[in-house]
Amino acid sequence: MVGAAELTPIYRKKTPFASNPFESSARKTEPLERERGERAHKRKIYCHLDMRGLKLLDRFTSTQVHAVNPIETSNGKSFGGVSRAKFNSHLIKSFGSNSKPKKSSSVSVAEALLLPYGVPATDLLEPSIDPHLKPSDFVENLADLYHRLEGCSSHSERSLLCVQQYSLLGGLGDPKLLRRCLQSARQNAADVHDKVVLSAWLRFERREDELVGMAALDCGGQVLECPKVALVSGVDPNSVSGHCQCGEDAANAVSVPFFEGSECVGLDEEESDVSFCIGDEEIYCRRCKIASLSSPFEAMLYGCFKESKKGRIDLSENGMSVKGMRAVEVYSRTRRLDLFSPEIVVELLSFANRFCCEEMKSACDAYLASLVDNVDDALVLIEYGLEEMAYLLVAACLQVLLRELPSSLHNPKAMKFLCSSKVRERLAMAGYGFLLYYFLSHVAMEESMVSNTTVMLLERLEECATQRWQKTLVLHQLGCVLLERRQYKDAQFRFLAAAEAGHVYSVAGVARTKYKQGQQYSAYKLMSSIINEYKPAGWMYQERALYNIGKEKILDLSTATDLDPTLSFPYKYRAVANFEEKQIRAAILEIDKVVRFKLSPDCIELRAWFFIALEDYESALRDIRVLLTLEPNYMMFHGKVSGDYLVGLLSLRVKQLSEAECWMQLYDQWSSVDDIGSLAIIHQMLGHNPRKSLLQFRQSLLLLRLNCQKAAMRSLRLARNNSGSEHERLVYEGWILYDTGNREEALAKAEKSMHIQRSFEAFFLKAYALADANLDSEASSHVVQLLEEALRCPSDGLRKGQALNNLGSIYVDCGKLDKAADCYKSALDIKHTRAHQGLARVYHLKNQRKAAYDEITMLIEKAQSNASAYEKRSEYSDPEMAKNDLNMASQLDPFRTYPYRYRAAVLMDEQRETEAIEELTRAISFKPDLQMLHLRAAFYESIGDLSSALRDCQAALCMDPNHTDTIDLYNRARD
C-alpha cells in the first residue's frame, strides 16, 4: 500500500510523454512527491491522483457544464402599475447625467430602477425541477446499463441502450460525454430510420445551422453525420473514425445506365407487340419488357390470363395517366428515371406499388429521395412516401426536416405534420418511433419549455414510449413543461405517474404542484416521507425547504448545501434573505460563493440586482455584460427589461473607456485571472465592433475556462462567421471541430490554413491538437517546433503568454527544466500570471520546495480565480497546511475532485477504510466522476468487497469504456 504521498496519476500512462501538455489543471495534476517519513514498507496503490500536470491549459480548466435555471419570465406589458414607456422615460431622466449624483439622489435612482419590478424576495424564489432523469441510486443505474451494454450482441439493441445512456447522463451536463453516447448510438444503428435521426442529432449538437454558408444537407466530412451515408442501410464498424467520401460519390446517388437515340423515346406500332389503352390513347410496348417489370405482369402477359392472348389491353381503370404509362414503357426498356419530371416519377411509384414492380419501386424511391433538398419539397413528398410505403423517400424527407432544426420548429406546416397523432402512427409503420420524437422534443424543450409545440411533441413521445425508462423520462419531462405552463393538475398527474414508475425525483414535482395548488402542508409531508424512506440527498432538503418555515427552512437549506454544495438555490435564498435584512454586502458575498464555481445567468442577474441596490453601477454593468455574453437575449427583472436596455442605461452612469483603454484593462483583468471581468470588457469592446472575430474568439476561450461550453461554442461560431479571411475562418472551424471531438479534421483545417498563410493561431491549433495524443520524443519535438513558429508570428501578448506557458509544459515533460523555466518567466514578463503555476512545478522538480511554495503563493495572491492554485499549493505544503489548502479549494469550487480523492487517500493511508470510502461516496453523490469511482472501486477491492468494486468499475466504464486502469481493475475484480 502507498500513502497519499505516493499516488500516481489515474489517466497518465507511465511514459515521459503520456499526457497532453496542454491539458487542463482541473483534469490533470502532478503526482505528489511529499516526504512522509520512514515507512516499514510501500503500500498497495489504491488510486491514481495526479497533481503533476496542473499545466494551466489556456483553453480549458474543466469539462463540466452546469445547468442554468433562469428566473421565470413573463410577457406582461406593465409592471407595478407603471407603463413601459413612462417608466423608461423616468429611468432615462434619472440616469441622464454622466457625473455621479449625491447619495440622496443616487438612492432614489436605485429605487427607481428596482422598485417598479419588485426587489428580490425570498417568497418568490424557487428552484426549477430538473427535466433530466435523476435516479435515486445513480451509480447503480450506470453499472446496470454498462452490464447490459457489455452483454448486448444486437447492433440495434445496443444503439438504443446508448440512447438510454444519453438520457441517464444528461443531468451531468457534460457535452463531450453526451456526444460520445450519440456517436456510439449512431455507429451501432443499422436501420436507415435510426441513422437519419442520430446523424441529424449529432449535427444539431454542433449547431452547424448557425454557420454561414452551411446548408442542411452539406456534409462536414464525418461519416456519422453524413446525410448520404445515413440513407444506406447497415452498420459500418469503422464509421466512428471514418472520413466521408460523399463528394466523390455524389454522381452515384442514383445509378442509371446511359442510352442514346430511339431507346429513350416511345415505340411506334411496328416495333411493339402489345399496346395498353388509356381512354382514347394507345401506348405501344414490348411484351417481354413489360413482363420483366414484375411477376404479376409476367403472369398476365405470358400466363393463363386472357390478356396473354390479346395485343391490346385496356388499363383505363387503373388510375394511370397517358404520360405515366408512356413513362412505364420507356422505363421498361431503359431503366431510366431522369428523363421524367418528379410528378411522373411519383406516378411511376404508385404504378410500381399497384403491380408489385419491386425494382421500379426501389428506383423511384431512391430517385425521389435524391431530389429532396428543402423543407417545402420534403413536406410534399413525405406524404407520397408514406402513402406508397416508399421508406427511403420518407427518410430523405425527414432528414431535411431534422437537419433544419431548430428553424423547422417554427415552420407551421412542418410542426402541424409532425405533431399530428395520425402522422405519428403512419411514421411508426415506417419504423420511426421513440427516437424521432425524443430528438424533436429535446430540441423543442431547448427552444421553449412552454410552447404548444413542445407539449404536442412530448405527447407524441409519450405515445411512442414502450420501455420503462422511456415512459419515466417522458412523463417527468411532460410534468416539468406543464409545471412551467402553470397547468398544475396535469403536471401533478404526470409527475405522479413517473414517481410510480420508480423515478423518486419526480416526487419533487408532485410536491411542487401540490404547493402551487395551496397544499403546502401536504407538500411538506410528502418530502419528509421521501427523506425518511430513501438515502437523503441535497435536492430532497432543498425541496422541503420551500414548504418549511422559520429556522427549520434555514436548517433544511444548510443541510442541502452540506449534502450537495453545487446546488444554487440555497445560496440564492440566503443571499436574498440578507438583502431583505438590508445586509447587501453580505448578500453579495453569499451569491459570490456560487458564482465562483457556477457561472449561471440567474445568479449573475441576482448579483447585478444587489449591486444596483448598493449603487455600485460599475459592478452591476459588468455583471449584466457577462449575463448577455451567456445569453444574448436575456430579459432581466422577471423577464420585463432587456439586458441590452439596462446596459445602455447604466452606461450613462459609468465612465466609458476608449478602445485602447479597453485593451489595457483586458490585459489587467487577464493577468489577475479575472475571467468574469475579462468577459465584461470583451462584451463592451464588441459593442463598438460587433463583428470583430478576434474578440469573439477570445470570448470563447474565457467561456471555456468558466465551463460555459454552450456559450463558448456560440462565440466560436460567431468568430468563424465574421472572419475576414479564408485562413482565419479555417482556424476557427478547426477549433469547432476539435472542441466537438474531431481531432483529425481539426488538424486538417490547421494544415490548410497554414498553406494559405502562416499565422499564430494556425500553428497554435495544430500544436494543441497534436499534443492531445500520447507524445513520444519525436512528437514532442514537433509540437515544440510548431509553438516556436507560432511565437514568431504576429499576435498579442495574451496569446503569446499562452503559447509560452504551453511550450514550458512540453519542455517539462521532456525533462528540459531550464528551458521550461525560461518560457514561464517570459510568460510572466508579459503578465501571463498563470505561468506561476508552471514555474512552481519546475522548482518542485528541482527539489526547491520553498521556491515552489512561494511561487504558487504569488499566484494565489494575484488571481481572482484561485481554487486550482490552492489545490496545487497543497503539493508543496506540509500535511496540515496541505489539508487547509485543499479544504479551501473545495470551498471555492466543490466541483474539483482532487481534494476529495486526496483526503480519502490519506484516510485509507491511516487504515480508516470506512471513512475513506464515505469521503468519496459523499462527493460522488453530487459529482459522479470517473476518477472518484475508480478510486472507490480500488478501495472496495482492497477490503474484499468485490461486488461493490465491480459496480463502481462498471459505472466508471459507462462514462468512459476505454479507461485502461479501470478496465484492468474490473478484470481483476471479476477474476
Side-chain angles (χ1 to χ4, degrees):
M1 181 189 299
V2 297
E6 291 114 9
L7 297 173
T8 55
I10 186 167
Y11 283 123
R12 188 185 299 271
K13 293 182 180 178
K14 297 174 179 61
T15 62
F17 309 106
S19 67
N20 178 1
F22 297 174
E23 193 60 67
S24 149
S25 61
R27 289 184 298 187
K28 293 197 175 183
T29 48
E30 289 184 13
L32 299 169
E33 296 175 3
R34 191 178 294 107
E35 299 212 3
R36 309 256 317 163
E38 293 186 2
R39 306 185 65 88
H41 61 276
K42 294 292 181 182
R43 293 181 178 168
K44 183 179 178 182
I45 294 178
Y46 282 131
C47 72
H48 304 282
L49 299 177
D50 186 358
M51 284 295 288
R52 180 174 49 209
L54 272 181
K55 300 176 182 177
L56 285 175
L57 179 54
D58 290 299
R59 277 183 56 79
F60 317 106
T61 57
S62 134
T63 59
Q64 291 109 21
V65 171
H66 312 302
V68 170
N69 298 317
I71 292 175
E72 183 179 354
T73 61
S74 67
N75 295 319
K77 295 184 179 179
S78 64
F79 343 103
V82 182
S83 71
R84 183 185 296 275
K86 184 176 180 180
F87 178 68
N88 289 349
S89 173
H90 173 65
L91 287 183
I92 291 171
K93 288 178 182 177
S94 299
F95 279 73
S97 170
N98 284 326
S99 60
K100 187 174 181 178
K102 294 180 181 179
K103 185 174 181 180
S104 60
S105 173
S106 176
V107 171
S108 65
V109 166
E111 289 178 349
L113 188 59
L114 290 172
L115 289 179
Y117 302 104
V119 295
T122 52
D123 291 342
L124 300 177
L125 286 178
E126 61 181 49
S128 64
I129 302 293
D130 191 341
H132 298 102
L133 291 177
K134 193 191 289 279
S136 56
D137 193 334
F138 186 78
V139 173
E140 189 68 44
N141 276 261
L142 280 182
D144 176 66
L145 186 56
Y146 180 78
H147 178 70
R148 285 186 287 147
L149 279 166
E150 193 178 25
C152 180
S153 57
S154 164
H155 283 293
S156 297
E157 184 182 348
R158 187 175 184 85
S159 179
L160 187 58
L161 284 173
C162 292
V163 175
Q164 182 180 355
Q165 183 184 24
Y166 176 91
S167 70
L168 187 60
L169 296 173
L172 299 184
D174 184 340
K176 291 185 177 179
L177 192 59
L178 296 178
R179 187 172 182 83
R180 189 187 304 147
C181 295
L182 290 178
Q183 286 176 331
S184 184
R186 167 63 184 83
Q187 183 188 15
N188 285 282
D191 299 320
V192 167
H193 48 75
D194 288 341
K195 296 169 82 169
V196 160
V197 175
L198 290 166
S199 63
W201 202 333
L202 284 167
R203 182 181 188 273
F204 174 79
E205 291 297 319
R206 201 197 302 280
R207 297 308 295 263
E208 288 192 359
D209 60 292
E210 295 182 13
L211 298 180
V212 172
M214 287 289 289
L217 295 179
D218 285 350
C219 177
Q222 293 83 45
V223 170
L224 294 183
E225 297 174 39
C226 175
K228 292 184 177 65
V229 173
L231 295 176
V232 179
S233 183
V235 175
D236 179 2
N238 300 316
S239 57
V240 165
S241 58
H243 296 276
C244 186
Q245 305 296 323
C246 66
E248 301 173 12
D249 301 334
N252 300 324
V254 178
S255 180
V256 293
F258 180 73
F259 294 88
E260 295 182 351
S262 61
E263 289 187 286
C264 293
V265 299
L267 294 177
D268 56 28
E269 187 174 357
E270 289 77 17
E271 297 176 300
S272 69
D273 54 2
V274 68
S275 64
F276 293 91
C277 297
I278 297 177
D280 297 331
E281 295 286 338
E282 195 166 354
I283 298 92
Y284 299 103
C285 305
R286 290 179 182 166
R287 187 179 294 267
C288 63
K289 295 294 184 182
I290 298 296
S292 69
L293 293 178
S294 71
S295 297
F297 270 125
E298 184 176 14
M300 181 179 72
L301 296 175
Y302 286 107
C304 57
F305 293 93
K306 61 182 180 180
E307 285 84 0
S308 64
K309 307 299 182 183
K310 290 183 178 181
R312 188 171 181 273
I313 300 171
D314 189 0
L315 285 184
S316 299
E317 303 300 323
N318 284 277
M320 283 293 288
S321 69
V322 174
K323 287 185 178 179
M325 195 60 212
R326 292 194 192 281
V328 170
E329 187 281 320
V330 172
Y331 177 82
S332 72
R333 291 183 290 114
T334 66
R335 295 302 196 266
R336 293 185 64 176
L337 293 170
D338 57 331
L339 304 170
F340 317 119
S341 67
E343 293 78 8
I344 294 298
V345 178
V346 168
E347 194 171 356
L348 290 178
L349 177 60
S350 179
F351 177 89
N353 248 338
R354 191 175 301 115
F355 292 99
C356 303
C357 305
E358 296 302 328
E359 181 188 346
M360 181 190 289
K361 178 182 176 179
S362 297
C364 292
D365 195 3
Y367 185 79
L368 290 171
S370 71
L371 300 179
V372 185
D373 62 358
N374 62 75
V375 171
D376 291 334
D377 288 349
L379 289 171
V380 172
L381 289 171
I382 196 170
E383 290 283 1
Y384 289 107
L386 289 171
E387 185 69 27
E388 303 296 343
M389 296 180 289
Y391 294 142
L392 190 61
L393 175 58
V394 172
C397 294
L398 273 178
Q399 179 164 250
V400 171
L401 294 175
L402 297 179
R403 292 174 75 91
E404 287 283 0
L405 288 171
S407 62
S408 53
L409 277 180
H410 307 291
N411 184 315
K413 292 181 180 179
M415 285 304 102
K416 182 179 179 181
F417 177 81
L418 290 169
C419 293
S420 165
S421 186
K422 290 184 179 179
V423 168
R424 185 204 63 78
E425 293 174 0
R426 296 171 68 192
L427 287 171
M429 295 178 65
Y432 297 91
F434 182 84
L435 184 59
L436 170 63
Y437 282 95
Y438 186 17
F439 177 36
L440 287 169
S441 59
H442 169 81
V443 178
M445 289 176 68
E446 277 200 11
E447 288 291 292
S448 171
M449 283 287 285
V450 296
S451 71
N452 291 333
T453 296
T454 301
V455 174
M456 288 188 288
L457 288 172
L458 282 170
E459 287 173 345
R460 300 293 80 75
L461 180 64
E462 186 178 14
E463 294 168 0
C464 295
T466 55
Q467 298 184 17
R468 183 176 177 180
W469 74 268
Q470 297 173 348
K471 294 176 181 178
T472 303
L473 173 69
V474 65
L475 287 168
H476 182 73
Q477 289 187 336
L478 255 176
C480 292
V481 168
L482 294 170
L483 177 63
E484 290 291 318
R485 288 164 62 93
R486 301 178 183 176
Q487 297 173 232
Y488 301 128
K489 288 186 178 180
D490 292 337
Q492 182 176 332
F493 175 77
R494 291 325 201 287
F495 281 132
L496 191 58
E500 289 173 349
H503 191 229
V504 178
Y505 178 63
S506 292
V507 175
V510 178
R512 190 74 61 90
T513 54
K514 285 176 175 287
Y515 173 66
K516 292 293 186 180
Q517 297 174 81
Q519 304 169 35
Q520 181 172 342
Y521 183 60
S522 177
Y524 172 80
K525 287 199 302 181
L526 181 59
M527 290 311 303
S528 294
S529 68
I530 291 298
I531 290 172
N532 293 330
E533 185 176 351
Y534 294 91
K535 183 178 180 180
W539 65 265
M540 297 178 185
Y541 285 92
Q542 173 180 271
E543 191 64 29
R544 192 175 73 171
L546 289 179
Y547 321 126
N548 223 327
I549 57 174
K551 292 182 180 179
E552 286 77 11
K553 178 187 284 281
I554 300 301
L555 183 60
D556 273 352
L557 290 173
S558 296
T559 305
T561 299
D562 290 340
L563 291 172
D564 185 353
T566 66
L567 292 172
S568 300
F569 176 74
Y571 301 96
K572 290 167 61 179
Y573 184 91
R574 289 188 288 263
V576 174
N578 285 326
F579 179 81
E580 290 176 336
E581 296 293 326
K582 309 297 183 184
Q583 300 175 21
I584 303 178
R585 293 194 181 279
I588 292 171
L589 290 174
E590 183 66 27
I591 203 64
D592 276 346
K593 292 177 183 177
V594 67
V595 169
R596 279 197 298 253
F597 65 86
K598 187 191 305 189
L599 194 64
S600 59
D602 52 338
C603 295
I604 291 291
E605 179 190 18
L606 196 57
R607 192 171 73 171
W609 212 326
F610 296 155
F611 279 127
I612 292 173
L614 198 62
E615 307 161 40
D616 186 350
Y617 301 121
E618 186 172 352
S619 296
L621 181 59
R622 174 204 63 198
D623 280 355
I624 296 171
R625 289 189 181 281
V626 172
L627 179 57
L628 291 174
T629 300
L630 297 174
E631 292 192 15
N633 299 317
Y634 196 88
M635 299 290 290
M636 294 191 62
F637 299 148
H638 308 300
K640 295 168 183 171
V641 176
S642 75
D644 286 326
Y645 175 76
L646 279 177
V647 166
L649 203 59
L650 290 171
S651 295
L652 299 173
R653 306 291 297 175
V654 176
K655 179 186 175 183
Q656 298 302 295
L657 303 178
S658 67
E659 185 176 358
E661 288 173 324
C662 282
W663 273 108
M664 290 179 65
Q665 190 166 344
L666 180 59
Y667 270 87
D668 290 339
Q669 303 282 15
W670 197 285
S671 66
S672 63
V673 198
D674 182 4
D675 293 332
I676 291 178
S678 299
L679 274 181
I681 293 296
I682 289 179
H683 184 272
Q684 181 177 347
M685 296 167 76
L686 284 169
H688 300 300
N689 192 351
R691 299 182 63 83
K692 186 77 170 177
S693 60
L694 173 65
L695 291 174
Q696 287 159 339
F697 179 56
R698 297 291 192 274
Q699 191 179 67
S700 73
L701 299 176
L702 287 164
L703 288 165
L704 282 172
R705 282 184 185 152
L706 292 164
N707 303 322
C708 303
Q709 296 196 23
K710 186 175 180 180
M713 289 299 292
R714 181 176 59 244
S715 296
L716 198 48
R717 288 191 295 270
L718 285 172
R720 181 266 186 196
N721 289 343
N722 294 324
S723 54
S725 62
E726 175 71 6
H727 76 272
E728 185 183 8
R729 180 181 64 78
L730 288 166
V731 168
Y732 298 146
E733 287 180 357
W735 280 121
I736 291 172
L737 288 165
Y738 179 83
D739 289 341
T740 52
N742 297 280
R743 175 176 168 272
E744 295 299 326
E745 290 82 355
L747 282 169
K749 293 285 184 182
E751 286 281 359
K752 194 172 180 181
S753 178
M754 286 188 296
H755 283 310
I756 298 172
Q757 181 173 320
R758 292 165 54 87
S759 69
F760 174 93
E761 294 298 350
F763 281 111
F764 191 90
L765 170 59
K766 185 175 180 182
Y768 194 95
L770 282 175
D772 195 25
N774 291 334
L775 297 179
D776 54 21
S777 57
E778 184 179 351
S780 295
S781 176
H782 186 34
V783 173
V784 167
Q785 291 174 6
L786 289 168
L787 287 172
E788 289 174 343
E789 288 295 327
L791 289 166
R792 295 189 188 101
C793 297
S795 186
D796 57 73
L798 301 178
R799 293 297 275 163
K800 296 261 183 177
Q802 290 172 316
L804 286 165
N805 196 61
N806 291 337
L807 184 57
S809 296
I810 293 289
Y811 280 135
V812 168
D813 277 354
C814 295
K816 300 177 180 179
L817 300 184
D818 291 336
K819 285 189 175 183
D822 291 341
C823 287
Y824 291 130
K825 289 174 182 176
S826 297
L828 289 170
D829 289 342
I830 53 178
K831 291 189 172 183
H832 190 75
T833 307
R834 288 178 171 86
H836 280 300
Q837 195 159 334
L839 191 55
R841 181 187 174 196
V842 170
Y843 290 144
H844 176 64
L845 293 173
K846 289 183 174 182
N847 294 320
Q848 300 174 16
R849 290 174 56 84
K850 178 64 166 58
Y853 182 91
D854 292 342
E855 195 69 32
I856 205 70
T857 300
M858 283 190 276
L859 175 59
I860 291 173
E861 292 169 352
K862 291 180 182 180
Q864 294 283 332
S865 306
N866 51 21
S868 65
Y870 277 107
E871 185 179 280
K872 177 65 175 176
R873 193 174 69 173
S874 68
E875 180 183 351
Y876 315 132
S877 310
D878 61 59
E880 190 59 34
M881 293 181 67
K883 180 181 178 181
N884 293 335
D885 279 346
L886 290 173
N887 289 339
M888 177 60 73
S890 290
Q891 182 179 335
L892 292 173
D893 185 357
F895 281 110
R896 304 188 73 84
T897 63
Y898 173 76
Y900 307 109
R901 292 184 284 125
Y902 180 84
R903 287 189 289 264
V906 170
L907 290 168
M908 203 67 179
D909 205 33
E910 297 170 356
Q911 298 184 351
R912 296 157 66 184
E913 294 91 347
T914 303
E915 293 174 68
I917 290 172
E918 183 55 37
E919 173 73 18
L920 291 175
T921 300
R922 189 181 76 85
I924 288 170
S925 68
F926 63 83
K927 178 67 173 68
D929 174 82
L930 171 68
Q931 295 179 358
M932 287 194 291
L933 286 168
H934 173 85
L935 180 57
R936 193 173 71 171
F939 285 0
Y940 276 128
E941 184 201 29
S942 72
I943 63 175
D945 188 349
L946 296 184
S947 63
S948 296
L950 284 170
R951 179 204 59 202
D952 282 357
C953 284
Q954 289 171 332
L957 291 172
C958 193
M959 302 177 78
D960 183 1
N962 300 315
H963 190 255
T964 54
D965 289 336
T966 303
I967 292 172
D968 292 341
L969 177 57
Y970 182 46
N971 290 333
R972 265 201 326 272
R974 276 198 304 188
D975 295 341

